[in-house]
Amino acid sequence: MTRQAIILAAGKGTRMKSKLYKVLHPVAGKPMVKHVLDNIREAGVTEIVTVVGHGAEKVKGLLGNESKFSMQEEQLGTAHAVSMAKEHLAGNSGTTVVICGDTPLISKETIEGLIAHHEQSGAKATILSAKTNQPFGYGRIVRDTHGNVIKIVEEKDASLKEKFINEVSSGTFCFDNEALFEKLALVKNENAQQEYYLPDVIQLLKADDAKVEAYVTENFEETLGVNDRVNLALADKLMRHRINVQHMLNGVTMIDPDTTYIESDVQIGQDTVIEPGVSLKGRTVIGNEVIITAHSEITDSTIGDGAEIKHSVVKDSVVGECAAIGPFAQLRPGSDIGREVKIGNFVEVKKAKLHDEAKVSHLSYIGDAEIGERTNVGCGSITVNYDGQNKYKTVVGKDAFIGCNSNLVAPVTVGDGSFVAAGSTITDDVPEASLALGRARQTTKEGYYKK
């Protein structure tokens, strides 16, 4: 049986009060509509159509070839939006999921359950519902004494008895695709808003004695639709909790999950320990038995097994196995840190490769450079990589020693096994196994202060 989905993503979201279109606002580091699309695809849906309107080009740019697109020029209601997908889906059979692009918390497991219930029951339509003690504002699912769905009644149209119903509609549906497009053509806009509403399709199906089901998700929080910044913050909190729980169940220790911020695409190995206030962002991959201490921030980086990141910032970089970074170090984009390398306190590295067992322990800047195996870079040393117009590279061989407060003025090479004396400014290449001094001769004038 073919399975397709329609994502409704045409609304601007005026209540967000933002220049960024609503479905592009991120939850746990990923735009809401991308969460929705990923969950649908992981649930086994093969063909996806996203209905766009406001911000169409940006939504298309984000989703790319993962979805087909239909344009809703005027926002005339949810049924009108779904009908825009007719150009791609009208001739199809099988099951169609209709879901809003501002519902990032509906999980792939819930979508799988909804589809399975719909197909196994033989229904023409299945409503994703949930139960809550606070149903105000939601459409209620009205059932008969046998538990069969009669209708969805909106808050403003509900009787006093119906308002006490605690099963509500999430706004997500499964339809028989052919029945969906047949009934969409019959939906009218005879209401206060003069809009075409998708729940009216349910009424039209019931009028034909078609079977309509409701699949109750166990987690009401999944049905949250994000309409303003308050909802956005709540969705982000709920998503982060879900992410953290999954990592802990997979063998990651979090000292304080409530203050640990992990975005949705981050991967973490077993027996890694994460202290409070840590942020892991983007497509970061953390190995096994890593220690990340309080308030570190790692973005789009790979951290090898057994490494330790201490109160530091790492972005677009690679850290090798058993390396030690920090405290208070910064790895800027392009840093490639080898196995058992030590990057100490207040060291900044940018677009540099440090080979295995190299050490830069204190107060140094290593930019546009390559540092060889087992080389030690002393406190306060700098690779002088920029002349005001161009960047140049510094290369230091293996087993070298760079004395404290040395300036290596690029382009320059220091050979294997060479020493640079403390306080030197090196402007010329240093051959292997040499000693380089580049500092002024000391002059001492005895008794000068008394004079």
Side-chain angles (χ1 to χ4, degrees), residues 42 57 73 111 121 275 356 379 423 430:
E42 290 174 17
E57 293 308 312
E73 297 287 352
I111 297 170
S121 67
E275 293 187 357
D356 297 350
C379 176
V430 179

Side-chain angles (χ1 to χ4, degrees), residues 15 34 43 130 161 183 231 235 242 312 372 382 398 428:
R15 281 185 281 173
K34 188 64 165 62
K161 181 179 178 181
K183 299 304 181 188
N231 292 152
R242 181 190 298 179
S312 295
I382 295 172
K398 61 186 179 182
D428 298 323

Side-chain angles (χ1 to χ4, degrees), residues 105-232:
L105 296 175
I106 298 179
S107 65
K108 75 176 184 67
E109 290 82 8
T110 295
I111 297 170
E112 287 171 342
L114 173 65
I115 293 172
H117 182 92
H118 174 77
E119 294 177 350
Q120 291 166 11
S121 67
K124 292 297 183 182
T126 302
I127 307 156
L128 177 63
S129 68
K131 293 186 176 181
T132 174
N133 293 325
Q134 296 180 324
F136 180 80
Y138 289 88
R140 312 303 203 275
I141 305 297
V142 181
R143 297 178 184 263
D144 63 21
T145 56
H146 300 289
N148 299 312
V149 174
I150 300 174
K151 61 180 178 178
I152 302 173
V153 59
E154 297 301 324
E155 174 79 30
K156 63 181 182 298
D157 300 319
S159 67
L160 182 61
K161 181 179 178 181
E162 288 169 340
K163 287 181 179 180
F164 281 96
I165 296 173
N166 67 352
E167 184 183 0
V168 299
S169 172
S170 69
T172 296
F173 302 86
C174 261
F175 291 100
D176 173 272
N177 190 70
E178 293 169 313
L180 170 63
F181 284 99
E182 176 189 338
K183 299 304 181 188
L184 280 173
L186 303 177
V187 173
K188 300 182 183 301
N189 66 340
E190 296 172 353
N191 53 67
Q193 301 297 321
Q194 294 188 310
E195 292 188 350
Y196 300 88
Y197 292 133
L198 187 60
D200 289 352
V201 172
I202 301 295
Q203 300 304 107
L204 291 168
L205 289 169
K206 290 295 294 184
D208 285 349
D209 292 326
K211 188 174 185 180
V212 174
E213 287 282 309
Y215 173 74
V216 184
T217 178
E218 295 181 0
N219 189 352
F220 171 72
E221 293 174 342
E222 285 195 20
T223 66
L224 176 69
V226 177
N227 294 311
D228 55 33
R229 305 293 182 119
V230 176
N231 292 152
L232 183 66

Side-chain angles (χ1 to χ4, degrees), residues 152-413:
I152 302 173
V153 59
E154 297 301 324
E155 174 79 30
K156 63 181 182 298
D157 300 319
S159 67
L160 182 61
K161 181 179 178 181
E162 288 169 340
K163 287 181 179 180
F164 281 96
I165 296 173
N166 67 352
E167 184 183 0
V168 299
S169 172
S170 69
T172 296
F173 302 86
C174 261
F175 291 100
D176 173 272
N177 190 70
E178 293 169 313
L180 170 63
F181 284 99
E182 176 189 338
K183 299 304 181 188
L184 280 173
L186 303 177
V187 173
K188 300 182 183 301
N189 66 340
E190 296 172 353
N191 53 67
Q193 301 297 321
Q194 294 188 310
E195 292 188 350
Y196 300 88
Y197 292 133
L198 187 60
D200 289 352
V201 172
I202 301 295
Q203 300 304 107
L204 291 168
L205 289 169
K206 290 295 294 184
D208 285 349
D209 292 326
K211 188 174 185 180
V212 174
E213 287 282 309
Y215 173 74
V216 184
T217 178
E218 295 181 0
N219 189 352
F220 171 72
E221 293 174 342
E222 285 195 20
T223 66
L224 176 69
V226 177
N227 294 311
D228 55 33
R229 305 293 182 119
V230 176
N231 292 152
L232 183 66
L234 178 57
D236 200 74
K237 180 179 180 179
L238 294 170
M239 181 68 79
R240 291 185 188 280
H241 174 74
R242 181 190 298 179
I243 290 168
N244 288 357
V245 167
Q246 191 59 54
H247 284 301
M248 288 187 286
L249 292 174
N250 289 338
V252 176
T253 294
M254 294 185 193
I255 305 303
D256 185 3
D258 289 340
T259 61
T260 301
Y261 301 89
I262 302 175
E263 292 186 349
S264 55
D265 290 330
V266 173
Q267 301 175 43
I268 309 175
Q270 291 183 353
D271 293 315
T272 284
V273 177
I274 301 174
E275 293 187 357
V278 168
S279 294
L280 305 178
K281 301 178 179 180
R283 296 190 175 275
T284 290
V285 178
I286 308 293
N288 299 310
E289 300 179 32
V290 174
I291 297 174
I292 306 174
T293 71
H295 307 293
S296 293
E297 181 177 308
I298 304 174
T299 305
D300 292 320
S301 297
T302 300
I303 311 299
D305 295 346
E308 184 172 6
I309 312 296
K310 294 174 282 190
H311 320 304
S312 295
V313 176
V314 181
K315 184 174 183 179
D316 293 313
S317 296
V318 176
V319 175
E321 294 181 5
C322 301
I325 309 298
F328 312 115
Q330 181 180 12
L331 303 185
R332 291 169 55 194
S335 299
D336 185 352
I337 309 302
R339 180 177 55 82
E340 297 185 40
V341 167
K342 181 179 180 182
I343 303 294
N345 51 290
F346 303 105
V347 172
E348 181 178 345
V349 181
K350 188 273 295 184
K351 197 178 178 182
K353 182 175 181 63
L354 280 74
H355 290 272
D356 297 350
E357 300 181 57
K359 292 181 176 64
V360 186
S361 295
H362 327 277
L363 299 159
S364 295
Y365 171 72
I366 307 297
D368 298 282
E370 182 171 354
I371 308 298
E373 292 93 337
R374 297 173 298 281
T375 285
N376 185 86
V377 178
C379 176
S381 296
I382 295 172
T383 58
V384 186
N385 59 329
Y386 185 49
D387 66 0
Q389 290 185 320
N390 298 299
K391 300 284 182 72
Y392 299 97
K393 187 175 181 179
T394 297
V395 178
V396 180
K398 61 186 179 182
D399 298 307
F401 185 92
I402 308 300
C404 294
N405 291 315
S406 294
N407 299 311
L408 307 180
V409 182
V412 70
T413 298

